Amino acid sequence: MIYTKDLVHAFAPHRRNALVVSGRSGQYWLDISEGGADLPVGDPSMGGHAGFSFGLALAQPEKPVVVFDSEGDLLMNLSILTTIAEKAPRNYYYFLMDNECYATTGGQPVPNAKNVAYDLVARGCGINRTYFFDDLATYTAALPEILAKDGPVFVWNKIHPEIENRPPGQRAPWRKRSPAKVVADTRKFLGVTR
């Protein structure tokens, strides 16, 4: 298994000019980068990271778009995989972080977690380029190849659960910008005026 922090830190040197939707890795990604190309959407958008990042990839076809999402999020919107496959954005890279539980709500187990092969699910939905990793060294070594290929690419990673048991109102805030500031910064970065 891979630690989320290590997963995103290994990716960082390969980012190039990608827009990064950090999803559940947001608290770690912000240690690496915090600008107009960084979209730290986490809670309360559970289940929405894939759709949001996919739409961003369609709207910005000249820029790579990377999302770090969890299996709990994906299971809330599994049909997004068929939509991604149909539209097949060449600039879209989906990194799934599978910790086999709902870590941000106390660690409840994901049903049948040890028997789901998400790379096969993605391939069955029509995404042809899929990968699976459960160790950091192999993942890190494969990143140049993964990011050199056209998307859509689906990368399934087994990660260590980092279970949060405190109620949302008692958790230390990790965001540095408000959602409105993130949107404003991204619009400015992309040159979007409307």
Side-chain angles (χ1 to χ4, degrees), residues 109-132:
V110 167
N112 204 28
K114 295 196 179 303
N115 299 309
V116 180
Y118 290 100
D119 57 339
L120 298 180
V121 172
R123 203 171 309 145
C125 288
I127 298 174
N128 295 324
R129 286 174 289 284
T130 65
Y131 297 85
F132 167 70

Side-chain angles (χ1 to χ4, degrees), residues 135-154:
D135 74 275
L136 182 63
T138 307
Y139 162 79
T140 302
L143 279 170
E145 175 193 320
I146 292 168
L147 297 167
K149 293 182 177 181
D150 285 341
V153 176
F154 183 93

